Amino acid sequence: MSLFLRLLFRNKLAGFGAVVLGIIVVLALLTPILPLHPPNETNTANRFLRPLSEGHLLGTDHLGRDLLSRLMWGTRLSLAVGFAAALVAGLLGAAIGVMAGYFGGRTDNVTMRGIDMLMAFPYILLALAIVAVLGPGLLNALIAVAVVNIPFFARNIRGVTVGIAHREFIDAAKLAGMGHTRILLTEVVPNIVPVVVIAMSTTIGWMILETAGLSFLGLGSQPPQADLGSMLGEARSALITAPHTSIVPGVMILLIVMSVNLLGDGIRDALDPRLRSGALSRPMATTRVERTEATAPKGEGLLRIDDLETQFHVGPRIYKAVNKVSLDLKPGECLGLIGESGSGKSVTALSVMGLVASPPGVITGGAVRLEGQDLIGAPYELLRSLRGRKVAYIFQDPLSTLHPLYRIGDQLIEAIRVHEPVSHAEAHKRAVKLLEDVRIPNAQARARAYPHELSGGMRQRVGIAMAMANDPDIIIADEPTTALDVTVQAQILALLDDLRRSRGLAILFITHDFGVVGQLCDRVAVMYGGRIVETGPTPEVLAAPAHPYTKRLIACVPELGGGRRVLAAIPGLPPAVDKLPEGCAFAPRCDKAQAACRQGEIRLTGTAREVRCLYPERAT
Amino acid sequence: MTIALKTTDLARTFDIGKRLIGPPRAQVHAVHPVSLEVRQGETLGIVGESGCGKSTLARMLVGLLPPTSGTIEIEGRALDRADPAAFGRLIQYVFQDPVSSLNPRKTIRQIMEVPLRLLHGMRGKALDDRIAELFDAVNLRPEFLSRYPHEFSGGQAQRIGIARALAASPRILILDEPVSALDVSVQAQVLNLLADLKAEFNLTYLFISHDLAVVEAVSDRIAVLYFGSVVETGPAEKVFAAPRHPYTKLLADSAPVVGRPLGGAQSGELPDPLNPPPGCAFAGRCPRASDRCRAEVPQLRAIEGDQFAACHHPRDD
Ligand SMILES: Nc1ncnc2c1ncn2[C@@H]1O[C@H](COP(=O)(O)OP(=O)(O)O)[C@@H](O)[C@H]1O
Ligand code: SF4
Ligand code: SF4
Ligand SMILES: [Mg+2]
């Protein structure tokens, strides 16, 4: 709750809205005990008194009634009716949405068709029709406004409920013996309350306005009762001669609707989980860089990463996701980067081209050199011209780089023409050739498919084709086969291996699977807690791991053909990179740890085989 | 040996493109009639690629999804109505995504209480004692009970999921990819815990996974699923070491193994479920396919000893 308030008031406009609305609501609540004239007391002798007249701060209307008093009572009524309408629409709409979304099938079909029918009518026409049937009156106006807003809530909430109803915890609740009612009340509803609150807070302003509109037309509150709409309506005939009678309620409506909407937007932003974690600011085009100077290159290489440090600054916490990582990639080489989730593999890969999201990402040190040129802090234009042309990425989920609404052929053509000024026909020919190169059967026809029409394996082939579109020198593949089935994985790995050998591609291959590294990579680097703990030629590292972590991780991997057995495990958990222990990050889980392991910095030693350990498994 | 779980011709079809009235536009046979027997105390491994019907089968077995046809018997008792509460006391489910299987707005204690209260009517001290006992069994500290799901790592969340399943005191656990979302170093912790619990509570497991090596390591027998059908069953040590069905062979050869060259020549994709081929579903990818395979659906039959395969030309090397 306090987090919610903090987030809410970080947004200045929302804070302003909250203050204005707060004042109005408090005044409206206090109205009965304020020393005001009775709102309906007529005094035709004092018609149309100007504001600041004696005894009538805001003047009087065409019947000589005190405007201030009518304004306060009117505001009170308008607010009450608006809130009531929002509450009714929100609760009924949410109830309908929850039922339709949870039960699905026929219930869903029938109710949502009904809702669609309601929505087919123009909004205000529907409200007018309802009042016409029920007859004018404030209560009927309230009903009309609530009814026309129900579909909005029902649709929204239904969508959210469908998502929740398919979550696994609902199945778990059924298996734990819960009936539908109990599941709806204790599992579904608590999860949709924020959505209902967001929807209400963003629509309540319009509902107040709509009720005022109906009263303005004489269909809402009936004389002599004042609400903001009817005050405006009655003042209409004296618009020229006594403008203040219109301006007073008009300004109040403006203030209410504006402050409610500002506050509503603020509430939405504060409750929205996507906006909650990051700042409300827009992400930067490239990763923020805060380093004092570039590390000197430690050697040759097509791509050299030297002492790279990438951190996430989240509030007071600093996550050292990548901590002085050095890697190098020669032309035509495949380097494997292996480690468990959270070890910093992806952040390393994304740092190369400045793709780490900022905020919260910051590159705080080191250098990344492509053919000798430092890329850290390079201008966005330069990085963009290199992306795809020199260095291309393949991700675990190819959908993250494919646009769902364009045909894959067109996306390839686009990718080709970004970097090369070729004709559309020429680009099309090349796109089809690329699809053939990644062994997509029937490439000519498949080029017209949309991403969602392809299977996971085919999509990843398209992802590879996209990466190959501008004939890059380097491919950075971040777990490209993790989401695929074994038979498809085997096909994709073979394809990558072929492409690399036929085109002399260098590949940085990120994975958590030793089997994959063993089949594809020449060299391997093992990461733990944001650091490289061991590197070397793949066969040697796999056959005789030097770092205790590597050794025990390999022992955990079950291999096919071993029969039924007890599997090795590493007790404990990988370290949190915002609370790294001093000394060796693996020490809490290492059975060889000594006192010396827990202090100072442990260096990476060795040349062809490097290891970061005081007591390695074998001499290096 | 008593039979813990038995299915007879259990099948499920899904309607595609439902209309308000009238028949659906098309039907997909997610699970073709499956007959399985799992013995008391056994672990049956079920492997297959995504979309082959593993989860559909599992959801029918716990009563979350009514079957289109066929029967389920648990310890000789037929469960003929898909009622998760009735199933729940006998058979429970451990989900693939440990975090999404816990309601984010409930504390772990609230989550743990539900099966104990609703399925076993426990209250008060008995309830608290039982929760403490279960938490101890899965090696979790009691202070975790007052926390919310997002505060746990994947491995811890999966232990909580297992503890909740055990709270129902079931005879059988369906483990649907229980370690796929976990890192290897944590994966083995959970697998070993499952092995201990099985011995302690005298349980029967159905272990579903796409990771052949893991399935082989934990199972007594294995059933291989392809395109909604069981294509091979047999003892764990034989199924991948000496596969009879060409698809099992393809699976075994695709698993990445250090030192083995990349296969790659194997191509082909699953058939279109809306338009299944007339004969063997694997014929389009099978090196041994004959005309008979393309016309006649092969039935599961004993090949040698207790190894069964659904293939007209089983392998015998
Ligand atoms: N947007 C982010 N905000 C805060 N921390 C992050 C963010 N992205 C990644 N991290 C942290 O950086 C570390 C490394 O993450 P990552 O490179 O994704 O690991 P891997 O790819 O090896 O699984 C993790 O501890 C993660 O928590
Ligand atoms: S430095 Fe010490 S604690 Fe770290 S891996 Fe080596 S032996 Fe273990
Ligand atoms: S039945 Fe024929 S096509 Fe099917 S797996 Fe056996 S040999 Fe291959
Ligand atoms: Mg990653």
Side-chain angles (χ1 to χ4, degrees), chain A residues 522-545:
Chain A
D522 307 311
R523 281 190 307 131
V524 60
V526 184
M527 252 184 124
Y528 188 76
R531 299 185 146 217
I532 304 286
V533 296
E534 174 162 12
T535 68
T538 311
E540 288 177 36
V541 172
L542 292 182

Side-chain angles (χ1 to χ4, degrees), chain A residues 312 314 319 321 339-348 360 478-479 577:
Chain A
F312 292 97
V314 183
Y319 295 83
E340 296 181 274
S341 54
S343 61
K345 308 180 297 290
S346 299
V347 178
T348 306
D478 190 353
E479 311 232 17
V577 288

Side-chain angles (χ1 to χ4, degrees), chain A residues 502-551:
Chain A
S502 60
R503 305 196 182 198
L505 266 180
I507 302 183
L508 177 61
F509 193 94
I510 296 173
T511 178
H512 63 266
D513 189 332
F514 276 104
V516 171
V517 165
Q519 284 185 307
L520 190 70
C521 301
D522 307 311
R523 281 190 307 131
V524 60
V526 184
M527 252 184 124
Y528 188 76
R531 299 185 146 217
I532 304 286
V533 296
E534 174 162 12
T535 68
T538 311
E540 288 177 36
V541 172
L542 292 182
H547 196 282
Y549 172 65
T550 320
K551 181 177 174 198

